[in-house]
Amino acid sequence: MSKTLTDATTKTPTQNIDPRILLLALGMFALGTDAFVIAGVLPVIARDMQVTEGLAGQLVTVFSLTYGLGAPVLAALTGRWPRHRVLIIALGAFCLINVGSALAPSFSLLGLTRILAACFAALYSPLAYTIGTALAAPEKRGQALSFVLGGLTLSTVLGSPLGTWVGEHFGWRMSFGMVALLAGVACIALLLCGLPRESAAPTLSLQARLAPIREPRLLLALLPALLWNLGIYVVYTYLAPIFQQNMHITDISVALLVFGLGAVPGNWLGGLITDRFGSSRPLITGFVVLAMILLGIPFATSLFFGLPLLLLWGLCGPNLFIAQQHRMLSLAPEHANVILALNNSMLYLGIAGGAALGGIVLHTQPVAWLGPLGAVCSLLALLALLFSMRIKRTA
């Protein structure tokens, strides 16, 4: 039977965290695996669908672009509907769409299922955070958020490498089947356990959600997030062909696992470093380090050099994201919810742009060009940050 919101807030501090929060995290694990597994099985998809690897990489572009642009629009459109209902529908539809991806007979239909999957992922993610906090006592809401976010982090550590391994050994269609299974289990379990029932709260209009974009200083402050993710995903999306060419490795699941292992302590260190030094210094240092990593990845000719770079890369990413979130909050505390949502959109637009740009480059140039291009994007993010800091000081 479903519980009301007051059930969660009357728990005593000694009670354990609500198990339904773990089911929400499982849904986030499925979403994260779906978003990043294509990078691991990209050559397999390209070979099976008889398209170039650059074109196959556009599956990442359409997913991320739809997510980045669709999140604020879909949140505004569904804001007056009961949250628990929207979440269950979004997760169930996400499961079915991934079944469609696994069965897609052509590349164009596979691309269409990626667009639809991104729409439902963009609906599910913010609601998982909101409902997760509603299921926790006030003194445990931080824990609840960390559990839900942990599902996304764990997808980088386990989900993407596992999906890649499945795709390499059983076919890329089974990778999407695995995602569908995870999402289906989470959806059915949440249906059986029930979620807090509530009337839809008044929601911000799309115009209100996009209001900070009309402020040049905030738009400039969002630009580094777009640029550094553009640089990251110019390279990350095409890691499989890079490793195949340089190291003659067809299964990069171990490489993705190492990358994910770096992200775990990166999340923890990012908070500590930002609390200790603020946001500006970690961002400046992070952009320089990231540029060096991206420059080196396409020229690593053995795992002896490649794996440490991937581990360091995994450490670097969460540090940048946490510091950027911290900076945006300090610049616009009055727009907290909206500015963080827009910052998240910048991340996905960067992923989309990076995958698209990398695909364009691969039409005419070898994969070694991707590293310098990613490094340039990271340094442009640094320049945008420095300019933004100067504007802030002048103001």
Side-chain angles (χ1 to χ4, degrees), residues 36-57:
F36 301 119
V37 75
I38 287 178
V41 296
L42 190 145
V44 184
I45 293 176
R47 187 167 57 249
D48 188 53
M49 289 289 185
Q50 297 182 338
V51 297
T52 65
E53 290 174 346
L55 183 57

PDB file of all heavy atoms in Angstrom, residues 36-57:
ATOM      1  N   PHE A  36      25.582   5.463 -21.535  1.00  0.00           N
ATOM      2  CA  PHE A  36      27.014   5.375 -21.803  1.00  0.00           C
ATOM      3  C   PHE A  36      27.464   4.059 -22.423  1.00  0.00           C
ATOM      4  O   PHE A  36      28.616   3.933 -22.842  1.00  0.00           O
ATOM      5  CB  PHE A  36      27.799   5.621 -20.514  1.00  0.00           C
ATOM      6  CG  PHE A  36      27.519   6.969 -19.913  1.00  0.00           C
ATOM      7  CD1 PHE A  36      26.977   7.084 -18.646  1.00  0.00           C
ATOM      8  CD2 PHE A  36      27.779   8.123 -20.630  1.00  0.00           C
ATOM      9  CE1 PHE A  36      26.705   8.328 -18.101  1.00  0.00           C
ATOM     10  CE2 PHE A  36      27.512   9.375 -20.086  1.00  0.00           C
ATOM     11  CZ  PHE A  36      26.979   9.482 -18.815  1.00  0.00           C
ATOM     12  N   VAL A  37      26.581   3.056 -22.504  1.00  0.00           N
ATOM     13  CA  VAL A  37      27.028   1.756 -23.001  1.00  0.00           C
ATOM     14  C   VAL A  37      27.330   1.782 -24.501  1.00  0.00           C
ATOM     15  O   VAL A  37      28.143   1.004 -24.993  1.00  0.00           O
ATOM     16  CB  VAL A  37      25.982   0.661 -22.672  1.00  0.00           C
ATOM     17  CG1 VAL A  37      24.756   0.779 -23.591  1.00  0.00           C
ATOM     18  CG2 VAL A  37      26.588  -0.725 -22.799  1.00  0.00           C
ATOM     19  N   ILE A  38      26.707   2.694 -25.239  1.00  0.00           N
ATOM     20  CA  ILE A  38      26.919   2.736 -26.686  1.00  0.00           C
ATOM     21  C   ILE A  38      28.388   2.977 -27.025  1.00  0.00           C
ATOM     22  O   ILE A  38      28.909   2.439 -28.008  1.00  0.00           O
ATOM     23  CB  ILE A  38      26.022   3.806 -27.332  1.00  0.00           C
ATOM     24  CG1 ILE A  38      24.564   3.317 -27.339  1.00  0.00           C
ATOM     25  CG2 ILE A  38      26.453   4.113 -28.764  1.00  0.00           C
ATOM     26  CD1 ILE A  38      23.585   4.288 -27.910  1.00  0.00           C
ATOM     27  N   ALA A  39      29.071   3.786 -26.183  1.00  0.00           N
ATOM     28  CA  ALA A  39      30.490   4.044 -26.442  1.00  0.00           C
ATOM     29  C   ALA A  39      31.295   2.753 -26.456  1.00  0.00           C
ATOM     30  O   ALA A  39      32.262   2.624 -27.212  1.00  0.00           O
ATOM     31  CB  ALA A  39      31.046   5.001 -25.385  1.00  0.00           C
ATOM     32  N   GLY A  40      30.909   1.789 -25.629  1.00  0.00           N
ATOM     33  CA  GLY A  40      31.633   0.529 -25.549  1.00  0.00           C
ATOM     34  C   GLY A  40      31.338  -0.430 -26.687  1.00  0.00           C
ATOM     35  O   GLY A  40      32.204  -1.213 -27.087  1.00  0.00           O
ATOM     36  N   VAL A  41      30.099  -0.393 -27.208  1.00  0.00           N
ATOM     37  CA  VAL A  41      29.713  -1.353 -28.254  1.00  0.00           C
ATOM     38  C   VAL A  41      29.573  -0.674 -29.617  1.00  0.00           C
ATOM     39  O   VAL A  41      29.018  -1.256 -30.542  1.00  0.00           O
ATOM     40  CB  VAL A  41      28.395  -2.079 -27.875  1.00  0.00           C
ATOM     41  CG1 VAL A  41      28.585  -2.919 -26.634  1.00  0.00           C
ATOM     42  CG2 VAL A  41      27.248  -1.089 -27.683  1.00  0.00           C
ATOM     43  N   LEU A  42      30.088   0.542 -29.733  1.00  0.00           N
ATOM     44  CA  LEU A  42      29.914   1.317 -30.961  1.00  0.00           C
ATOM     45  C   LEU A  42      30.423   0.590 -32.207  1.00  0.00           C
ATOM     46  O   LEU A  42      29.715   0.531 -33.219  1.00  0.00           O
ATOM     47  CB  LEU A  42      30.592   2.679 -30.783  1.00  0.00           C
ATOM     48  CG  LEU A  42      30.339   3.741 -31.856  1.00  0.00           C
ATOM     49  CD1 LEU A  42      30.285   5.114 -31.212  1.00  0.00           C
ATOM     50  CD2 LEU A  42      31.429   3.733 -32.910  1.00  0.00           C
ATOM     51  N   PRO A  43      31.636  -0.003 -32.191  1.00  0.00           N
ATOM     52  CA  PRO A  43      32.088  -0.710 -33.406  1.00  0.00           C
ATOM     53  C   PRO A  43      31.192  -1.896 -33.772  1.00  0.00           C
ATOM     54  O   PRO A  43      30.999  -2.194 -34.957  1.00  0.00           O
ATOM     55  CB  PRO A  43      33.501  -1.193 -33.028  1.00  0.00           C
ATOM     56  CG  PRO A  43      33.936  -0.301 -31.923  1.00  0.00           C
ATOM     57  CD  PRO A  43      32.686  -0.002 -31.142  1.00  0.00           C
ATOM     58  N   VAL A  44      30.647  -2.566 -32.747  1.00  0.00           N
ATOM     59  CA  VAL A  44      29.775  -3.719 -33.004  1.00  0.00           C
ATOM     60  C   VAL A  44      28.480  -3.262 -33.676  1.00  0.00           C
ATOM     61  O   VAL A  44      28.003  -3.887 -34.638  1.00  0.00           O
ATOM     62  CB  VAL A  44      29.464  -4.463 -31.679  1.00  0.00           C
ATOM     63  CG1 VAL A  44      28.648  -5.720 -31.953  1.00  0.00           C
ATOM     64  CG2 VAL A  44      30.748  -4.815 -30.940  1.00  0.00           C
ATOM     65  N   ILE A  45      27.908  -2.159 -33.180  1.00  0.00           N
ATOM     66  CA  ILE A  45      26.688  -1.616 -33.790  1.00  0.00           C
ATOM     67  C   ILE A  45      26.970  -1.187 -35.230  1.00  0.00           C
ATOM     68  O   ILE A  45      26.189  -1.475 -36.143  1.00  0.00           O
ATOM     69  CB  ILE A  45      26.152  -0.425 -32.969  1.00  0.00           C
ATOM     70  CG1 ILE A  45      25.667  -0.882 -31.591  1.00  0.00           C
ATOM     71  CG2 ILE A  45      25.013   0.276 -33.706  1.00  0.00           C
ATOM     72  CD1 ILE A  45      25.222   0.241 -30.683  1.00  0.00           C
ATOM     73  N   ALA A  46      28.080  -0.484 -35.422  1.00  0.00           N
ATOM     74  CA  ALA A  46      28.425  -0.001 -36.766  1.00  0.00           C
ATOM     75  C   ALA A  46      28.579  -1.164 -37.742  1.00  0.00           C
ATOM     76  O   ALA A  46      28.084  -1.110 -38.878  1.00  0.00           O
ATOM     77  CB  ALA A  46      29.720   0.816 -36.697  1.00  0.00           C
ATOM     78  N   ARG A  47      29.240  -2.215 -37.294  1.00  0.00           N
ATOM     79  CA  ARG A  47      29.468  -3.381 -38.165  1.00  0.00           C
ATOM     80  C   ARG A  47      28.153  -4.084 -38.489  1.00  0.00           C
ATOM     81  O   ARG A  47      27.901  -4.455 -39.641  1.00  0.00           O
ATOM     82  CB  ARG A  47      30.439  -4.335 -37.473  1.00  0.00           C
ATOM     83  CG  ARG A  47      30.883  -5.498 -38.338  1.00  0.00           C
ATOM     84  CD  ARG A  47      32.076  -6.215 -37.730  1.00  0.00           C
ATOM     85  NE  ARG A  47      31.813  -6.698 -36.374  1.00  0.00           N
ATOM     86  CZ  ARG A  47      32.384  -6.215 -35.279  1.00  0.00           C
ATOM     87  NH1 ARG A  47      33.245  -5.212 -35.366  1.00  0.00           N
ATOM     88  NH2 ARG A  47      32.115  -6.722 -34.091  1.00  0.00           N
ATOM     89  N   ASP A  48      27.305  -4.255 -37.483  1.00  0.00           N
ATOM     90  CA  ASP A  48      26.053  -4.980 -37.684  1.00  0.00           C
ATOM     91  C   ASP A  48      25.058  -4.188 -38.535  1.00  0.00           C
ATOM     92  O   ASP A  48      24.343  -4.757 -39.357  1.00  0.00           O
ATOM     93  CB  ASP A  48      25.437  -5.325 -36.325  1.00  0.00           C
ATOM     94  CG  ASP A  48      24.239  -6.244 -36.442  1.00  0.00           C
ATOM     95  OD1 ASP A  48      24.362  -7.312 -37.076  1.00  0.00           O
ATOM     96  OD2 ASP A  48      23.161  -5.906 -35.912  1.00  0.00           O
ATOM     97  N   MET A  49      25.026  -2.863 -38.307  1.00  0.00           N
ATOM     98  CA  MET A  49      24.084  -2.014 -39.036  1.00  0.00           C
ATOM     99  C   MET A  49      24.656  -1.513 -40.359  1.00  0.00           C
ATOM    100  O   MET A  49      23.976  -0.793 -41.095  1.00  0.00           O
ATOM    101  CB  MET A  49      23.683  -0.814 -38.158  1.00  0.00           C
ATOM    102  CG  MET A  49      22.780  -1.192 -37.000  1.00  0.00           C
ATOM    103  SD  MET A  49      21.132  -1.641 -37.600  1.00  0.00           S
ATOM    104  CE  MET A  49      20.254  -1.881 -36.064  1.00  0.00           C
ATOM    105  N   GLN A  50      25.927  -1.858 -40.632  1.00  0.00           N
ATOM    106  CA  GLN A  50      26.599  -1.475 -41.877  1.00  0.00           C
ATOM    107  C   GLN A  50      26.619   0.047 -42.065  1.00  0.00           C
ATOM    108  O   GLN A  50      26.279   0.583 -43.122  1.00  0.00           O
ATOM    109  CB  GLN A  50      25.934  -2.159 -43.078  1.00  0.00           C
ATOM    110  CG  GLN A  50      26.047  -3.685 -43.031  1.00  0.00           C
ATOM    111  CD  GLN A  50      25.432  -4.360 -44.237  1.00  0.00           C
ATOM    112  OE1 GLN A  50      24.586  -3.797 -44.919  1.00  0.00           O
ATOM    113  NE2 GLN A  50      25.880  -5.570 -44.520  1.00  0.00           N
ATOM    114  N   VAL A  51      27.031   0.737 -40.974  1.00  0.00           N
ATOM    115  CA  VAL A  51      27.231   2.188 -41.026  1.00  0.00           C
ATOM    116  C   VAL A  51      28.642   2.468 -40.513  1.00  0.00           C
ATOM    117  O   VAL A  51      29.302   1.601 -39.940  1.00  0.00           O
ATOM    118  CB  VAL A  51      26.191   2.944 -40.163  1.00  0.00           C
ATOM    119  CG1 VAL A  51      24.789   2.714 -40.698  1.00  0.00           C
ATOM    120  CG2 VAL A  51      26.283   2.534 -38.687  1.00  0.00           C
ATOM    121  N   THR A  52      29.123   3.692 -40.710  1.00  0.00           N
ATOM    122  CA  THR A  52      30.445   4.058 -40.206  1.00  0.00           C
ATOM    123  C   THR A  52      30.384   4.243 -38.694  1.00  0.00           C
ATOM    124  O   THR A  52      29.311   4.471 -38.117  1.00  0.00           O
ATOM    125  CB  THR A  52      30.931   5.370 -40.849  1.00  0.00           C
ATOM    126  OG1 THR A  52      30.066   6.441 -40.432  1.00  0.00           O
ATOM    127  CG2 THR A  52      30.934   5.260 -42.362  1.00  0.00           C
ATOM    128  N   GLU A  53      31.552   4.168 -38.059  1.00  0.00           N
ATOM    129  CA  GLU A  53      31.602   4.376 -36.611  1.00  0.00           C
ATOM    130  C   GLU A  53      31.227   5.812 -36.250  1.00  0.00           C
ATOM    131  O   GLU A  53      30.632   6.063 -35.201  1.00  0.00           O
ATOM    132  CB  GLU A  53      33.000   4.031 -36.086  1.00  0.00           C
ATOM    133  CG  GLU A  53      33.282   2.531 -36.139  1.00  0.00           C
ATOM    134  CD  GLU A  53      34.707   2.191 -35.756  1.00  0.00           C
ATOM    135  OE1 GLU A  53      35.549   3.113 -35.699  1.00  0.00           O
ATOM    136  OE2 GLU A  53      34.983   0.995 -35.511  1.00  0.00           O
ATOM    137  N   GLY A  54      31.579   6.758 -37.136  1.00  0.00           N
ATOM    138  CA  GLY A  54      31.181   8.143 -36.903  1.00  0.00           C
ATOM    139  C   GLY A  54      29.680   8.310 -36.892  1.00  0.00           C
ATOM    140  O   GLY A  54      29.124   9.037 -36.060  1.00  0.00           O
ATOM    141  N   LEU A  55      28.999   7.621 -37.804  1.00  0.00           N
ATOM    142  CA  LEU A  55      27.537   7.702 -37.841  1.00  0.00           C
ATOM    143  C   LEU A  55      26.926   6.978 -36.640  1.00  0.00           C
ATOM    144  O   LEU A  55      25.964   7.465 -36.040  1.00  0.00           O
ATOM    145  CB  LEU A  55      27.020   7.091 -39.145  1.00  0.00           C
ATOM    146  CG  LEU A  55      25.505   7.169 -39.366  1.00  0.00           C
ATOM    147  CD1 LEU A  55      25.010   8.610 -39.316  1.00  0.00           C
ATOM    148  CD2 LEU A  55      25.110   6.522 -40.694  1.00  0.00           C
ATOM    149  N   ALA A  56      27.479   5.830 -36.271  1.00  0.00           N
ATOM    150  CA  ALA A  56      26.977   5.110 -35.098  1.00  0.00           C
ATOM    151  C   ALA A  56      27.116   5.960 -33.840  1.00  0.00           C
ATOM    152  O   ALA A  56      26.266   5.898 -32.937  1.00  0.00           O
ATOM    153  CB  ALA A  56      27.727   3.790 -34.928  1.00  0.00           C
ATOM    154  N   GLY A  57      28.160   6.775 -33.778  1.00  0.00           N
ATOM    155  CA  GLY A  57      28.353   7.651 -32.622  1.00  0.00           C
ATOM    156  C   GLY A  57      27.250   8.685 -32.471  1.00  0.00           C
ATOM    157  O   GLY A  57      27.035   9.219 -31.373  1.00  0.00           O
TER     158      GLY A  57
END
